[in-house]
Amino acid sequence: MIRNVKQKTKQTPLEILLADKEQIRQQCIRQEQKLNKEYAYFQENAGSLLISGLSSLVFSGFGESKKHQKAVDSGQNLAAKTPAVPLGLSDYLKVGKMMIPTIWEIAQPVIIAWGIRKIKSFFTGRGKG
């Protein structure tokens, strides 16, 4: 009887591999479910995520500093100390210059897809009226 207990606790290499395989399979299923949830979230909120990302990129340099925000939160009147300065053309040009890489990253897939469609239609003869 003691011998049977020892044999049950000692696993063969095949049993160890099968147990590892099952454990990895379960981890894969959990990871897949997690990725599916995140993907669904991105699909549902893609527009708002894109807009908030672009707005944070555009207005990151123009926002109030943390020091200024803390002073406002603490009740100090900083409006008299910092006059409002309207944004000039150079400020808009700086923002545009900062956004060029981001716009290019967004535009590249669209341009490539358009080019592929045009090349495909050229070779297949579609698009000739």
Side-chain angles (χ1 to χ4, degrees), residues 6-96:
K6 272 191 172 182
Q7 287 178 346
K8 287 184 181 179
T9 58
K10 175 121 172 127
Q11 291 182 327
T12 65
L14 179 61
E15 291 173 335
I16 293 171
L17 286 175
L18 290 173
D20 287 346
K21 179 181 175 182
E22 181 61 26
Q23 182 183 9
I24 291 171
R25 192 179 70 73
Q26 291 297 324
Q27 288 175 346
C28 288
I29 290 171
R30 285 192 300 271
Q31 188 66 23
E32 183 180 2
Q33 289 170 347
K34 181 181 174 186
L35 288 173
N36 286 338
K37 285 180 186 177
E38 290 174 359
Y39 183 72
Y41 173 79
F42 286 133
Q43 273 188 322
E44 292 169 3
N45 300 302
S48 61
L49 288 171
L50 181 64
I51 290 171
S52 67
L54 287 176
S55 65
S56 69
L57 176 70
V58 170
F59 299 113
S60 65
F62 299 113
E64 296 177 339
S65 66
K66 290 181 181 179
K67 188 181 212 181
H68 182 269
Q69 185 62 35
K70 286 181 182 177
V72 170
D73 290 343
S74 66
Q76 294 179 3
N77 186 6
L78 291 178
K81 295 180 184 177
T82 56
V85 178
L87 296 176
L89 179 62
S90 64
D91 293 326
Y92 290 113
L93 291 175
K94 286 179 188 176
V95 170

Coordinates of all heavy atoms in Angstrom, one line a residue, residues 6-96:
K6 N 3.6 6.0 -3.2 CA 4.8 6.6 -3.7 C 4.7 6.6 -5.2 O 5.1 7.6 -5.8 CB 6.0 5.7 -3.3 CG 6.6 6.1 -2.0 CD 7.9 5.3 -1.9 CE 8.6 5.8 -0.6 NZ 9.9 5.2 -0.5
Q7 N 4.1 5.6 -5.9 CA 4.0 5.6 -7.3 C 3.1 6.7 -7.8 O 3.3 7.3 -8.8 CB 3.5 4.3 -7.8 CG 4.6 3.2 -7.7 CD 4.1 1.8 -8.2 OE1 2.9 1.6 -8.3 NE2 5.0 0.9 -8.3
K8 N 2.0 7.0 -7.0 CA 1.1 8.0 -7.4 C 1.7 9.4 -7.3 O 1.4 10.3 -8.1 CB -0.2 8.0 -6.6 CG -1.1 6.8 -7.0 CD -2.4 6.8 -6.3 CE -3.2 5.5 -6.7 NZ -4.4 5.5 -6.0
T9 N 2.5 9.7 -6.3 CA 3.1 11.0 -6.1 C 4.2 11.3 -7.1 O 4.5 12.4 -7.5 CB 3.6 11.2 -4.7 OG1 4.6 10.2 -4.4 CG2 2.5 11.1 -3.7
K10 N 4.9 10.3 -7.6 CA 6.0 10.4 -8.5 C 5.4 10.4 -9.9 O 4.8 9.4 -10.3 CB 7.0 9.3 -8.3 CG 8.1 9.3 -9.4 CD 9.4 9.5 -8.7 CE 10.5 9.3 -9.8 NZ 11.4 10.4 -9.7
Q11 N 5.6 11.5 -10.7 CA 5.0 11.6 -12.0 C 6.1 11.2 -13.0 O 7.3 11.4 -12.8 CB 4.6 13.0 -12.3 CG 3.4 13.4 -11.5 CD 2.9 14.8 -11.9 OE1 3.8 15.7 -12.3 NE2 1.6 15.1 -11.9
T12 N 5.6 10.6 -14.1 CA 6.5 10.2 -15.2 C 6.8 11.5 -16.0 O 6.0 12.5 -15.9 CB 5.9 9.2 -16.1 OG1 4.7 9.7 -16.7 CG2 5.5 7.9 -15.3
P13 N 7.9 11.5 -16.8 CA 8.1 12.7 -17.6 C 7.0 13.0 -18.6 O 6.7 14.2 -18.8 CB 9.4 12.2 -18.4 CG 10.1 11.2 -17.5 CD 9.0 10.5 -16.8
L14 N 6.3 12.0 -19.1 CA 5.2 12.2 -19.9 C 4.1 12.9 -19.2 O 3.4 13.9 -19.7 CB 4.7 10.9 -20.5 CG 3.5 11.0 -21.5 CD1 3.8 11.9 -22.7 CD2 3.1 9.6 -21.9
E15 N 3.8 12.5 -18.0 CA 2.7 13.1 -17.2 C 3.1 14.6 -16.9 O 2.2 15.5 -16.9 CB 2.5 12.3 -15.9 CG 1.8 11.0 -16.1 CD 1.8 10.2 -14.8 OE1 2.6 10.4 -13.9 OE2 0.9 9.3 -14.8
I16 N 4.3 14.8 -16.6 CA 4.8 16.2 -16.3 C 4.6 17.1 -17.6 O 4.1 18.2 -17.5 CB 6.3 16.2 -15.9 CG1 6.4 15.5 -14.5 CG2 6.8 17.6 -15.8 CD1 7.9 15.3 -14.1
L17 N 5.0 16.5 -18.7 CA 4.8 17.3 -20.0 C 3.3 17.6 -20.3 O 2.9 18.6 -20.7 CB 5.4 16.5 -21.1 CG 7.0 16.6 -21.2 CD1 7.5 15.7 -22.3 CD2 7.5 18.0 -21.4
L18 N 2.5 16.5 -20.0 CA 1.0 16.7 -20.3 C 0.4 17.8 -19.3 O -0.4 18.6 -19.7 CB 0.3 15.4 -20.1 CG 0.6 14.4 -21.3 CD1 -0.1 13.0 -20.9 CD2 0.1 14.9 -22.6
A19 N 0.9 17.7 -18.1 CA 0.4 18.7 -17.1 C 0.9 20.1 -17.5 O 0.1 21.1 -17.4 CB 0.9 18.4 -15.7
D20 N 2.1 20.2 -17.9 CA 2.6 21.5 -18.4 C 1.9 22.0 -19.6 O 1.5 23.2 -19.7 CB 4.1 21.4 -18.7 CG 5.0 21.3 -17.5 OD1 4.5 21.6 -16.4 OD2 6.2 21.0 -17.6
K21 N 1.6 21.1 -20.5 CA 0.8 21.5 -21.7 C -0.5 22.0 -21.4 O -1.0 23.0 -21.9 CB 0.7 20.2 -22.6 CG 0.0 20.5 -23.9 CD -0.2 19.2 -24.7 CE -1.0 19.4 -25.9 NZ -1.2 18.2 -26.7
E22 N -1.2 21.3 -20.4 CA -2.5 21.8 -20.0 C -2.5 23.1 -19.3 O -3.3 24.0 -19.6 CB -3.2 20.7 -19.1 CG -4.6 21.1 -18.6 CD -5.6 21.2 -19.8 OE1 -5.4 20.6 -20.8 OE2 -6.5 22.0 -19.6
Q23 N -1.5 23.3 -18.5 CA -1.3 24.6 -17.8 C -1.1 25.7 -18.8 O -1.7 26.8 -18.7 CB -0.1 24.5 -16.8 CG 0.1 25.8 -16.0 CD 1.3 25.7 -15.1 OE1 2.1 24.7 -15.2 NE2 1.5 26.7 -14.3
I24 N -0.2 25.5 -19.8 CA 0.1 26.5 -20.8 C -1.2 26.8 -21.7 O -1.5 27.9 -22.0 CB 1.3 26.0 -21.7 CG1 2.5 26.1 -20.8 CG2 1.4 26.9 -22.9 CD1 3.7 25.5 -21.5
R25 N -1.9 25.7 -22.0 CA -3.2 25.9 -22.7 C -4.1 26.8 -22.0 O -4.8 27.7 -22.6 CB -3.8 24.5 -23.0 CG -4.9 24.6 -24.1 CD -5.5 23.2 -24.3 NE -6.3 22.6 -23.2 CZ -7.5 23.1 -22.9 NH1 -8.1 24.0 -23.5 NH2 -8.1 22.5 -21.9
Q26 N -4.3 26.6 -20.7 CA -5.2 27.4 -19.9 C -4.7 28.8 -19.8 O -5.5 29.8 -19.9 CB -5.3 26.8 -18.4 CG -6.0 25.5 -18.3 CD -7.4 25.6 -18.7 OE1 -8.1 26.6 -18.5 NE2 -7.9 24.6 -19.4
Q27 N -3.4 29.0 -19.7 CA -2.8 30.4 -19.7 C -3.1 31.1 -21.1 O -3.4 32.3 -21.1 CB -1.3 30.4 -19.5 CG -0.9 30.0 -18.0 CD 0.6 29.9 -17.8 OE1 1.3 29.8 -18.8 NE2 1.0 29.9 -16.6
C28 N -3.0 30.3 -22.1 CA -3.3 30.9 -23.5 C -4.7 31.3 -23.6 O -5.0 32.3 -24.1 CB -2.9 29.9 -24.6 SG -1.2 29.6 -24.8
I29 N -5.6 30.5 -23.1 CA -7.0 30.8 -23.1 C -7.3 32.1 -22.3 O -8.0 33.0 -22.8 CB -7.9 29.6 -22.6 CG1 -7.8 28.5 -23.6 CG2 -9.3 30.0 -22.3 CD1 -8.4 27.2 -23.1
R30 N -6.7 32.2 -21.1 CA -6.9 33.4 -20.3 C -6.4 34.6 -21.0 O -7.0 35.7 -21.0 CB -6.3 33.2 -18.9 CG -7.0 32.3 -18.0 CD -6.5 32.4 -16.6 NE -5.1 32.0 -16.4 CZ -4.7 30.8 -16.2 NH1 -5.6 29.8 -16.0 NH2 -3.4 30.6 -16.0
Q31 N -5.2 34.5 -21.6 CA -4.5 35.6 -22.3 C -5.4 36.0 -23.5 O -5.5 37.2 -23.8 CB -3.1 35.2 -22.7 CG -2.3 36.4 -23.3 CD -2.0 37.5 -22.3 OE1 -2.0 37.2 -21.1 NE2 -1.8 38.7 -22.8
E32 N -5.9 35.0 -24.2 CA -6.7 35.3 -25.4 C -8.0 36.1 -25.0 O -8.4 37.0 -25.7 CB -7.1 34.0 -26.1 CG -7.9 34.2 -27.4 CD -8.2 32.9 -28.1 OE1 -7.9 31.8 -27.5 OE2 -8.9 33.0 -29.1
Q33 N -8.6 35.6 -23.9 CA -9.8 36.3 -23.4 C -9.5 37.8 -23.0 O -10.3 38.7 -23.3 CB -10.4 35.6 -22.2 CG -11.0 34.3 -22.6 CD -11.4 33.4 -21.4 OE1 -11.0 33.7 -20.3 NE2 -12.2 32.4 -21.6
K34 N -8.4 38.0 -22.4 CA -7.9 39.3 -22.0 C -7.7 40.2 -23.2 O -8.2 41.3 -23.3 CB -6.7 39.2 -21.1 CG -6.1 40.5 -20.7 CD -4.9 40.4 -19.9 CE -4.3 41.7 -19.5 NZ -3.0 41.6 -18.9
L35 N -7.0 39.6 -24.2 CA -6.8 40.4 -25.4 C -8.1 40.7 -26.2 O -8.2 41.8 -26.7 CB -5.8 39.6 -26.3 CG -4.4 39.6 -25.9 CD1 -3.6 38.7 -26.8 CD2 -3.7 41.0 -25.9
N36 N -9.0 39.8 -26.2 CA -10.3 40.0 -26.8 C -11.1 41.1 -26.2 O -11.7 41.9 -26.8 CB -11.1 38.7 -26.9 CG -10.6 37.7 -27.9 OD1 -10.0 38.1 -28.8 ND2 -11.0 36.5 -27.7
K37 N -11.0 41.2 -24.8 CA -11.7 42.3 -24.1 C -11.0 43.6 -24.4 O -11.7 44.6 -24.7 CB -11.6 42.0 -22.6 CG -12.5 41.0 -22.1 CD -12.3 40.8 -20.6 CE -13.1 39.7 -20.0 NZ -12.9 39.5 -18.6
E38 N -9.7 43.6 -24.5 CA -9.0 44.9 -24.8 C -9.3 45.3 -26.2 O -9.5 46.5 -26.5 CB -7.5 44.7 -24.6 CG -7.1 44.6 -23.1 CD -5.7 44.3 -22.9 OE1 -4.9 44.2 -23.9 OE2 -5.3 44.3 -21.7
Y39 N -9.3 44.4 -27.1 CA -9.6 44.7 -28.5 C -11.0 45.2 -28.7 O -11.2 46.2 -29.4 CB -9.4 43.4 -29.4 CG -9.6 43.7 -30.9 CD1 -8.7 44.4 -31.6 CD2 -10.7 43.2 -31.5 CE1 -8.9 44.6 -33.0 CE2 -11.0 43.4 -32.9 CZ -10.0 44.1 -33.6 OH -10.3 44.3 -34.9
A40 N -12.0 44.6 -28.0 CA -13.4 45.1 -28.1 C -13.5 46.5 -27.5 O -14.2 47.3 -28.1 CB -14.3 44.1 -27.3
Y41 N -12.7 46.8 -26.4 CA -12.7 48.1 -25.8 C -12.2 49.1 -26.8 O -12.8 50.2 -27.0 CB -11.9 48.1 -24.6 CG -11.7 49.5 -24.0 CD1 -12.7 50.1 -23.3 CD2 -10.6 50.2 -24.2 CE1 -12.6 51.4 -22.7 CE2 -10.4 51.5 -23.7 CZ -11.4 52.1 -23.0 OH -11.3 53.3 -22.5
F42 N -11.1 48.8 -27.5 CA -10.5 49.7 -28.5 C -11.4 49.9 -29.7 O -11.6 51.0 -30.2 CB -9.2 49.2 -29.0 CG -8.1 49.4 -28.0 CD1 -7.2 48.3 -27.7 CD2 -7.9 50.5 -27.3 CE1 -6.2 48.5 -26.8 CE2 -6.9 50.7 -26.4 CZ -6.0 49.6 -26.1
Q43 N -12.1 48.8 -30.1 CA -13.1 49.0 -31.2 C -14.2 49.9 -30.8 O -14.6 50.7 -31.6 CB -13.6 47.6 -31.6 CG -12.8 46.9 -32.6 CD -13.5 45.6 -33.1 OE1 -14.2 45.0 -32.3 NE2 -13.4 45.3 -34.4
E44 N -14.7 49.7 -29.6 CA -15.9 50.5 -29.2 C -15.5 52.0 -29.0 O -16.3 52.9 -29.2 CB -16.5 50.0 -27.9 CG -17.1 48.6 -28.1 CD -17.5 47.9 -26.8 OE1 -17.3 48.5 -25.7 OE2 -18.0 46.8 -26.8
N45 N -14.3 52.2 -28.6 CA -13.9 53.6 -28.2 C -12.8 54.2 -29.1 O -12.0 55.1 -28.6 CB -13.4 53.6 -26.7 CG -14.5 53.1 -25.8 OD1 -15.5 53.7 -25.7 ND2 -14.2 52.0 -25.1
A46 N -12.6 53.7 -30.3 CA -11.5 54.1 -31.1 C -11.6 55.6 -31.4 O -10.6 56.3 -31.4 CB -11.5 53.3 -32.4
G47 N -12.7 56.1 -31.7 CA -12.9 57.5 -32.1 C -12.5 58.4 -30.9 O -11.7 59.3 -31.1
S48 N -13.0 58.1 -29.8 CA -12.7 59.0 -28.6 C -11.3 58.8 -28.2 O -10.7 59.8 -27.7 CB -13.7 58.7 -27.4 OG -13.5 57.3 -27.0
L49 N -10.7 57.6 -28.3 CA -9.3 57.5 -28.0 C -8.4 58.2 -28.9 O -7.4 58.9 -28.5 CB -8.9 56.0 -28.0 CG -9.5 55.1 -26.8 CD1 -9.2 53.6 -27.1 CD2 -8.9 55.5 -25.5
L50 N -8.7 58.2 -30.2 CA -8.0 58.9 -31.2 C -8.0 60.4 -30.9 O -7.0 61.1 -30.9 CB -8.4 58.6 -32.6 CG -7.7 59.3 -33.7 CD1 -6.2 58.8 -33.8 CD2 -8.4 58.9 -35.0
I51 N -9.2 60.9 -30.7 CA -9.4 62.4 -30.5 C -8.7 62.8 -29.2 O -8.0 63.8 -29.2 CB -10.9 62.7 -30.4 CG1 -11.5 62.6 -31.8 CG2 -11.2 64.1 -29.9 CD1 -13.0 62.6 -31.9
S52 N -8.9 62.0 -28.1 CA -8.2 62.4 -26.9 C -6.7 62.3 -27.0 O -6.0 63.2 -26.5 CB -8.7 61.6 -25.7 OG -8.3 60.2 -25.9
G53 N -6.2 61.4 -27.8 CA -4.7 61.3 -28.0 C -4.2 62.4 -28.8 O -3.2 63.0 -28.5
L54 N -4.9 62.8 -29.9 CA -4.5 64.0 -30.7 C -4.6 65.3 -29.9 O -3.7 66.1 -30.0 CB -5.4 64.0 -32.0 CG -5.1 63.0 -33.0 CD1 -6.1 63.1 -34.2 CD2 -3.7 63.1 -33.5
S55 N -5.7 65.4 -29.1 CA -5.8 66.7 -28.4 C -4.8 66.8 -27.3 O -4.2 67.9 -27.1 CB -7.2 66.8 -27.8 OG -7.4 65.8 -26.8
S56 N -4.4 65.7 -26.7 CA -3.3 65.7 -25.7 C -2.0 66.0 -26.3 O -1.1 66.7 -25.8 CB -3.3 64.4 -24.9 OG -2.8 63.4 -25.7
L57 N -1.8 65.5 -27.6 CA -0.6 65.8 -28.3 C -0.5 67.3 -28.7 O 0.5 67.9 -28.5 CB -0.5 64.9 -29.5 CG 0.7 65.2 -30.5 CD1 2.0 64.7 -29.8 CD2 0.5 64.4 -31.8
V58 N -1.6 67.8 -29.2 CA -1.7 69.2 -29.6 C -1.5 70.2 -28.5 O -0.8 71.1 -28.6 CB -3.0 69.4 -30.4 CG1 -3.1 70.9 -30.7 CG2 -3.0 68.6 -31.7
F59 N -2.3 69.9 -27.4 CA -2.4 70.9 -26.4 C -1.4 70.6 -25.2 O -1.5 71.2 -24.2 CB -3.8 71.0 -25.9 CG -4.7 71.5 -27.0 CD1 -5.7 70.7 -27.5 CD2 -4.6 72.8 -27.5 CE1 -6.5 71.1 -28.5 CE2 -5.4 73.2 -28.5 CZ -6.4 72.4 -29.0
S60 N -0.5 69.6 -25.3 CA 0.3 69.3 -24.2 C 1.3 70.5 -23.9 O 1.6 70.7 -22.7 CB 1.1 68.1 -24.5 OG 2.0 68.3 -25.6
G61 N 1.8 71.2 -24.8 CA 2.7 72.3 -24.6 C 2.0 73.6 -24.2 O 2.6 74.5 -23.6
F62 N 0.7 73.6 -24.4 CA -0.1 74.9 -24.1 C -0.8 74.8 -22.8 O -1.4 75.8 -22.4 CB -1.0 75.2 -25.3 CG -0.3 75.3 -26.6 CD1 -0.5 74.4 -27.6 CD2 0.5 76.4 -26.8 CE1 0.1 74.6 -28.8 CE2 1.2 76.5 -28.0 CZ 1.0 75.6 -29.0
G63 N -0.8 73.7 -22.1 CA -1.6 73.6 -20.9 C -0.9 74.3 -19.7 O 0.2 74.7 -19.8
E64 N -1.6 74.4 -18.7 CA -1.0 75.0 -17.5 C 0.0 74.1 -16.8 O -0.2 72.9 -16.9 CB -2.1 75.3 -16.5 CG -3.1 76.3 -16.9 CD -4.2 76.6 -15.9 OE1 -4.4 75.7 -15.1 OE2 -4.9 77.6 -16.0
S65 N 1.0 74.6 -16.3 CA 2.0 73.8 -15.6 C 1.4 73.3 -14.3 O 0.4 73.8 -13.8 CB 3.3 74.6 -15.3 OG 3.0 75.6 -14.4
K66 N 2.0 72.2 -13.7 CA 1.5 71.7 -12.5 C 1.6 72.7 -11.4 O 0.7 72.7 -10.5 CB 2.3 70.4 -12.2 CG 2.0 69.2 -13.1 CD 2.8 68.0 -12.7 CE 2.5 66.9 -13.6 NZ 3.3 65.7 -13.3
K67 N 2.7 73.4 -11.4 CA 2.9 74.4 -10.3 C 1.7 75.5 -10.4 O 1.2 75.8 -9.4 CB 4.2 75.1 -10.5 CG 4.7 76.0 -9.4 CD 6.0 76.6 -9.8 CE 6.9 76.9 -8.6 NZ 8.1 77.4 -9.0
H68 N 1.4 75.9 -11.6 CA 0.4 76.9 -11.8 C -1.0 76.3 -11.4 O -1.8 76.9 -10.7 CB 0.3 77.3 -13.2 CG -0.7 78.4 -13.5 ND1 -1.9 78.1 -13.9 CD2 -0.6 79.7 -13.5 CE1 -2.6 79.2 -14.1 NE2 -1.9 80.2 -13.8
Q69 N -1.2 75.0 -11.7 CA -2.5 74.4 -11.4 C -2.6 74.2 -9.9 O -3.7 74.4 -9.3 CB -2.6 73.0 -12.1 CG -3.9 72.3 -11.9 CD -5.1 73.1 -12.5 OE1 -4.9 73.8 -13.5 NE2 -6.2 73.1 -11.8
K70 N -1.5 73.9 -9.2 CA -1.6 73.7 -7.7 C -1.9 75.1 -7.1 O -2.6 75.1 -6.1 CB -0.2 73.2 -7.2 CG -0.1 71.7 -7.5 CD 1.3 71.3 -6.9 CE 1.5 69.8 -7.2 NZ 2.8 69.3 -6.7
A71 N -1.3 76.1 -7.6 CA -1.6 77.5 -7.1 C -3.0 77.8 -7.3 O -3.6 78.4 -6.4 CB -0.6 78.5 -7.7
V72 N -3.6 77.5 -8.4 CA -5.0 77.8 -8.7 C -5.9 77.0 -7.7 O -6.8 77.5 -7.2 CB -5.3 77.6 -10.1 CG1 -6.8 77.6 -10.4 CG2 -4.6 78.6 -11.0
D73 N -5.5 75.7 -7.6 CA -6.3 74.9 -6.7 C -6.2 75.3 -5.2 O -7.2 75.2 -4.5 CB -5.8 73.4 -6.8 CG -6.2 72.8 -8.1 OD1 -7.0 73.3 -8.8 OD2 -5.6 71.8 -8.5
S74 N -5.1 75.9 -4.8 CA -5.0 76.3 -3.4 C -5.7 77.6 -3.2 O -5.7 78.1 -2.0 CB -3.5 76.4 -3.0 OG -2.9 77.4 -3.8
G75 N -6.2 78.3 -4.2 CA -7.0 79.5 -4.0 C -6.2 80.7 -4.3 O -6.8 81.8 -4.1
Q76 N -5.0 80.7 -4.7 CA -4.3 81.9 -5.0 C -4.8 82.5 -6.3 O -5.2 81.8 -7.2 CB -2.8 81.6 -5.2 CG -2.1 81.2 -3.9 CD -0.6 80.8 -4.1 OE1 -0.1 81.0 -5.2 NE2 0.0 80.4 -3.1
N77 N -4.8 83.8 -6.4 CA -5.3 84.5 -7.6 C -4.1 84.7 -8.5 O -3.4 85.7 -8.3 CB -6.0 85.7 -7.2 CG -6.6 86.4 -8.4 OD1 -6.6 85.8 -9.5 ND2 -7.2 87.6 -8.2
L78 N -3.9 83.9 -9.5 CA -2.7 84.1 -10.4 C -3.2 84.7 -11.7 O -2.3 85.0 -12.5 CB -2.1 82.7 -10.7 CG -1.4 82.0 -9.6 CD1 -0.8 80.7 -10.0 CD2 -0.2 82.9 -9.1
A79 N -4.5 85.0 -11.8 CA -4.9 85.6 -13.1 C -4.3 87.0 -13.2 O -4.0 87.4 -14.4 CB -6.4 85.7 -13.0
A80 N -4.1 87.7 -12.2 CA -3.5 89.0 -12.3 C -2.0 88.9 -12.6 O -1.4 89.8 -13.2 CB -3.6 89.8 -10.9
K81 N -1.3 87.9 -12.2 CA 0.1 87.7 -12.4 C 0.4 87.2 -13.8 O 1.5 87.5 -14.4 CB 0.7 86.7 -11.4 CG 0.7 87.2 -10.0 CD 1.3 86.2 -9.1 CE 1.1 86.6 -7.6 NZ 1.7 85.6 -6.7
T82 N -0.4 86.4 -14.4 CA -0.2 85.8 -15.7 C -1.2 86.3 -16.7 O -2.3 85.8 -16.7 CB -0.2 84.3 -15.7 OG1 -1.4 83.9 -15.2 CG2 0.9 83.8 -14.9
P83 N -0.9 87.3 -17.5 CA -1.9 87.8 -18.5 C -2.1 86.7 -19.6 O -1.2 86.0 -19.9 CB -1.2 89.0 -19.1 CG 0.3 88.8 -18.9 CD 0.4 88.0 -17.6
A84 N -3.3 86.7 -20.1 CA -3.7 85.8 -21.2 C -3.0 86.3 -22.5 O -3.2 87.4 -22.9 CB -5.2 85.7 -21.4
V85 N -2.3 85.4 -23.2 CA -1.6 85.7 -24.4 C -2.3 84.9 -25.5 O -2.3 83.7 -25.5 CB -0.1 85.4 -24.3 CG1 0.6 85.7 -25.6 CG2 0.6 86.1 -23.2
P86 N -2.8 85.6 -26.5 CA -3.4 84.9 -27.6 C -2.4 84.1 -28.4 O -1.2 84.5 -28.5 CB -4.1 86.0 -28.5 CG -3.4 87.2 -28.1 CD -2.9 87.0 -26.7
L87 N -2.8 83.0 -29.0 CA -1.9 82.2 -29.8 C -1.7 82.9 -31.1 O -2.6 83.3 -31.8 CB -2.4 80.8 -30.0 CG -2.6 79.9 -28.7 CD1 -3.2 78.6 -29.1 CD2 -1.2 79.7 -28.1
G88 N -0.4 82.9 -31.5 CA -0.1 83.5 -32.8 C 0.1 82.5 -33.9 O 0.0 81.3 -33.7
L89 N 0.3 83.0 -35.1 CA 0.5 82.1 -36.2 C 1.7 81.1 -36.0 O 1.7 80.0 -36.3 CB 0.7 82.9 -37.5 CG 1.0 82.1 -38.8 CD1 -0.2 81.2 -39.1 CD2 1.3 83.0 -40.0
S90 N 2.8 81.7 -35.4 CA 4.0 80.8 -35.1 C 3.7 79.7 -34.2 O 4.2 78.6 -34.3 CB 5.1 81.7 -34.6 OG 4.8 82.2 -33.3
D91 N 2.7 79.9 -33.2 CA 2.4 78.8 -32.3 C 1.6 77.7 -33.1 O 1.9 76.6 -32.8 CB 1.5 79.4 -31.2 CG 2.2 80.3 -30.3 OD1 3.4 80.1 -30.1 OD2 1.6 81.3 -29.8
Y92 N 0.7 78.1 -34.0 CA 0.0 77.1 -34.8 C 1.0 76.4 -35.7 O 0.8 75.2 -35.9 CB -1.1 77.8 -35.6 CG -2.2 78.2 -34.7 CD1 -2.5 79.6 -34.6 CD2 -3.0 77.3 -34.0 CE1 -3.6 80.0 -33.8 CE2 -4.1 77.7 -33.2 CZ -4.3 79.1 -33.1 OH -5.4 79.5 -32.3
L93 N 2.0 77.1 -36.2 CA 3.0 76.4 -37.1 C 3.8 75.4 -36.3 O 4.1 74.3 -36.7 CB 3.9 77.4 -37.7 CG 3.2 78.3 -38.8 CD1 4.2 79.3 -39.3 CD2 2.7 77.4 -40.0
K94 N 4.1 75.8 -35.0 CA 4.9 74.8 -34.2 C 4.1 73.6 -33.9 O 4.6 72.5 -33.9 CB 5.2 75.5 -32.8 CG 6.3 76.5 -33.0 CD 6.6 77.2 -31.6 CE 7.6 78.3 -31.7 NZ 7.8 79.0 -30.5
V95 N 2.8 73.8 -33.6 CA 1.9 72.6 -33.4 C 1.8 71.8 -34.6 O 1.9 70.5 -34.6 CB 0.5 73.1 -32.9 CG1 -0.5 71.9 -32.9 CG2 0.6 73.7 -31.5
G96 N 1.6 72.4 -35.8 CA 1.6 71.7 -37.0 C 2.9 70.9 -37.3 O 2.8 69.7 -37.7

